[in-house]
């Protein structure tokens, strides 16, 4: 294809290409990198609604900065001292979200871009009033024990304002989903079949959503106002100290000396970035501007390069310690400490990246690629000397979580540590401007997630009120005939379909509410059930037709979104095996079993994902025959199911293909030149 033949220089949109051609290589490289970063910002605005905010100057820019810094300071103060009751903390958090939403996000394409409109200010005033009403009137409501007219009025106003704020900052899909659930609560008596219910009055629904802890101000917004906000702020502080550059450099030192190291750098960088940033498209933008041109320059097809970055960026959402925002909500849903979620995610995250790593390595071997030259790889000692101290805050967070501290406590001291260690090197030292900028960026980054949590509170409230989760769970189990594998498959389909139109956090909350109960009814371990739906909520980012991470990577690389989307889907297919594996082998989540059983489950899973990757790439030591490909695929599937018989059969099939290929290569079906047999 013509698109695949583009040179790396064509992947930028630098209008003065002729002028840059005469520049020194270093200056030209800086300009091209800057152009790619600017393009990444434009791509983010296209594929992510939450990136389409106004870019103010002058007094309005100052006003937004003051509000954002005040929001971050409020959350730092309350996380350190905990002086507010939960409902009041959440209502003030929501009020801040409203202010930033209606100032930053225009209501339409024709709205002014340099200042808020009159309607924006009206929405802002009404929404903040309805949110702060809880702050000032909740004590009176608690004493009365019953609602009055003003409670119902302000509750109605708040729901409408949340729907509008969600439309602006997250997208119309989530707003429409919330409306559907609200209508379901009102008109349940008109719905035939098993999904019908007696219906609830307007007052009863408003009471449930506005004045109880099972609606808007429930678990989702509670986690947003504490753990999620603090960890987003933690990521903002690490980025302000230059963590992004450190990740790029250390990834080069780790993977650059291997075959296909250019693509492996993208995988490792995205995994490391995922430790502090739980956004798939954010990871793509952060690493793609650097890794996609490098991959293309070394011989990978542009479409493949973009797809690798998309899949790797998505994996950051399941990479401990931070993972995606939904992981904190999972801990609340399950009533377990976040450290258990973090540890449970470790092996699946490694398997995810191993699956992609195997695909990339096989592709590089198949193409006969070489390693990067020594001049292209920075000295590891220099990298660690200049920025190695930036690892300390991550170590602090992991340590505090493992010793039993709350995520809120860990995030707070992680931020303190990031500020402290920045002064150990001139390259990372934070100034007052940088410090305030991190506070502002943290608040801005929390807006879309916070609004998603607020609007999903409507969904949770209606589901709890109507018992919809149990009804759907019963029907999924009934449709599957009580078969665990079929039930798991249907749950996967529901999770992916919902994930195509919803942000990952919202998708997890909805699927955990309406789909996970089906798995629980069949005896699936609760943590495995919730990790399953969360995993596929994340994978929806690389599942066509709405593969948002792939579209982001396509925009950065000037490739067709559909081609990148389907290539990314093929690359990630090996990763689709992993959730099924830990449903049948909860030892992979460190649930039950002993060290031996966990090691065996991990070992067979590693063999399985590598075998599946080779089968999908149609190459192991040499091109695969149809029979060899089928044997590898069957072996990978057998390794999903626990048991000595299935593990033994799967291992035998995979080993047989490997020995068969090794014999063929030794007899003349040679691997690409320069690649050792068995490579």
């Amino acid at each position: 294809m013509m698109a695949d033949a583009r040179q790396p220089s064509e992947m930028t949109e630098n209008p003065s290409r002729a002028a840059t051609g005469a520049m020194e290589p270093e200056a030209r490289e800086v300009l091209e990198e800057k152009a790619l970063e600017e393009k990444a910002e434009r791509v983010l605005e296209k594929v992510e609604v939450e990136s389409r905010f106004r870019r103010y100057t002058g007094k309005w820019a100052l006003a937004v900065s003051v509000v954002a810094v005040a929001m971050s300071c409020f959350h730092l103060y309350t996380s350190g001292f905990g002086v507010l009751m939960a409902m009041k903390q959440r209502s003030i958090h929501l009020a801040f979200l409203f202010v930033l939403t209606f100032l930053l996000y225009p209501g339409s394409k024709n709205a002014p871009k340099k200042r808020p409109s009159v309607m924006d200010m009206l929405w802002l005033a009404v929404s903040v009033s309805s949110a702060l009403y809880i702050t000032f009137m909740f004590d009176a409501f608690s004493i009365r024990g019953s609602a009055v007219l003003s409670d119902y009025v302000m509750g109605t106003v708040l729901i409408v304002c949340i729907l509008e704020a969600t439309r602006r900052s997250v997208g119309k899909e989530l707003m429409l989903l919330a409306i559907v659930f609200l209508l379901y609560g009102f008109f349940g008596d008109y719905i035939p079949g098993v999904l019908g219910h007696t219906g609830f009055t307007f007052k009863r629904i408003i009471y449930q959503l506005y004045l109880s802890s099972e609606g808007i101000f429930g678990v989702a917004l509670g986690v947003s106002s504490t753990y999620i906000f603090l960890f987003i702020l933690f990521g903002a502080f690490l980025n302000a100290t230059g963590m992004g550059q450190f990740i790029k450099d250390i990834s080069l030192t780790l993977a650059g000396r291997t075959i296909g190291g250019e693509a492996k750098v993208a995988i490792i960088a995205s995994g490391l970035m995922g430790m502090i940033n739980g956004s798939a498209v954010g990871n793509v933008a952060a690493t793609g501007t650097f890794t996609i041109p490098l991959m293309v320059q070394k011989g990978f097809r542009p479409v493949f390069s973009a797809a690798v970055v998309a899949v790797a960026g998505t994996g950051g959402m399941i990479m401990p310690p931070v993972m995606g925002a939904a992981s904190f909500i999972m801990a609340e849903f399950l009533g377990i400490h976040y450290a258990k979620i973090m540890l449970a995610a470790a092996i699946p995250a490694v398997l995810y990246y191993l699956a992609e790593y195997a695909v990339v390595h096989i592709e590089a071997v198949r193409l006969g690629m070489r390693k990067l030259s020594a001049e292209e790889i920075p000295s590891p000692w220099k990298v660690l000397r200049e920025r190695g101290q930036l690892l300390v805050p991550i170590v602090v967070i992991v340590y505090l979580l493992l010793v039993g501290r709350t995520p809120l406590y860990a995030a707070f001291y992680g931020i303190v540590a990031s500020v402290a260690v920045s002064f150990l090197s001139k390259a990372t030292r934070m100034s007052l401007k940088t410090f305030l900028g991190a506070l502002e960026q943290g608040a801005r980054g929390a807006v879309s997630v916070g609004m998603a949590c607020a609007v999903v509170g409507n969904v949770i409230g209606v589901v709890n009120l109507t018992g919809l989760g149990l009804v759907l769970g019963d029907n999924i189990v009934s449709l599957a005939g009580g078969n665990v594998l079929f039930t798991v498959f249907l749950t996967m389909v529901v999770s992916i379909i919902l994930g195509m139109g919803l942000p990952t956090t919202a998708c997890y909350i909805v699927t955990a509410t309406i789909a996970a109960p089906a798995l629980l009814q069949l005896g699936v371990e609760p943590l495995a059930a919730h990790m399953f739906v969360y995993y596929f909520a994340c994978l929806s980012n690389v599942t066509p037709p709405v593969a948002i991470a792939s579209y982001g990577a396509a925009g950065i690389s000037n490739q067709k979104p559909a081609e990148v989307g389907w290539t990314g889907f093929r690359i990630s297919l090996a990763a689709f095996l992993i959730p099924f594996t830990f449903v049948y082998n909860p030892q992979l989540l460190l649930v039950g079993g002993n060290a031996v059983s966990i090691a065996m489950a991990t070992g067979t899973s590693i063999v399985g994902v590598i075998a599946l990757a080779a089968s999908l790439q149609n190459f192991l030591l040499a091109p695969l025959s149809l029979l060899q490909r089928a044997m590898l695929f069957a072996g990978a599937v057998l390794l999903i199911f626990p048991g000595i018989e299935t593990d033994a059969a799967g291992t035998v099939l995979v080993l047989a293909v490997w020995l068969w290929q090794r014999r063929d290569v030794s007899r003349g079906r040679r691997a690409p030149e320069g690649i050792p047999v068995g490579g």
Side-chain angles (χ1 to χ4, degrees), residues 6 83 113 186 235 291-292 380 385 390 526 538 544 555 593 648:
R6 292 176 181 169
V83 294
K113 299 297 188 291
F186 284 122
T291 55
I292 292 176
R385 186 171 60 251
L390 298 180
C538 295

Side-chain angles (χ1 to χ4, degrees), residues 63-83:
V64 170
S65 297
V66 169
V67 172
V69 170
M71 183 180 185
S72 293
C73 290
F74 166 76
H75 285 83
L76 283 171
Y77 179 74
T78 53
S79 67
F81 300 97
V83 294

Side-chain angles (χ1 to χ4, degrees), residues 69 114 137 145 203 222 229-230 238 257 286 300 382 412 440 443 445 477 487 494 518 667:
V69 170
K114 301 298 183 182
M137 300 302 294
K203 287 186 175 181
F229 187 93
L230 262 291
L238 277 186
R257 292 177 172 83
F300 285 104
K382 181 181 179 182
F412 179 83
E440 180 180 351
V477 172
T487 304
V494 170
R667 290 183 177 181

Side-chain angles (χ1 to χ4, degrees), residues 241-256:
T241 59
M243 186 66 167
Q245 186 60 48
F246 172 72
I247 286 174
K248 292 176 183 178
D249 290 343
I250 202 68
S251 299
L252 271 172
T253 65
L254 291 173

